[in-house]
Amino acid sequence: MDIYAPSHKTLFFGEMLFRMSPVGHERIEQAEDMQMYLDGAEAIAALALAYQGEDVTFLSMLTDNRLGKRAIMEL
């Protein structure tokens, strides 16, 4: 067994968050357009470990619509 190989799986669970920001640093009441970003501390931590080669699983509940599908595609 390789001592550097991951020997366990880490389970993360939490919410996927959609962050909406006005384009061009406008105030929200002035904005006509918004940029949408996916966020969430648990998801970001799971991705960071996965990029380092760790065996991770992220558990969350998403809606069965285009927003939920976009969240899955972003991950």
Side-chain angles (χ1 to χ4, degrees), residues 17-73:
L17 305 174
F18 284 100
R19 181 169 49 98
M20 298 176 70
S21 300
V23 176
H25 304 291
E26 296 176 325
R27 292 177 174 256
I28 197 162
E29 61 271 9
Q30 298 171 325
E32 292 184 16
D33 296 316
M34 303 284 265
Q35 292 179 331
M36 186 169 52
Y37 302 96
L38 281 161
D39 208 351
E42 296 85 3
I44 300 302
L47 285 173
L49 285 178
Y51 286 143
Q52 295 177 36
E54 295 292 327
D55 191 10
V56 299
T57 299
F58 178 69
L59 176 66
S60 188
M61 186 158 209
L62 299 169
T63 58
D64 187 20
N65 59 21
R66 290 184 290 178
L67 288 176
K69 289 178 179 144
R70 178 174 175 175
I72 291 170
M73 288 188 308

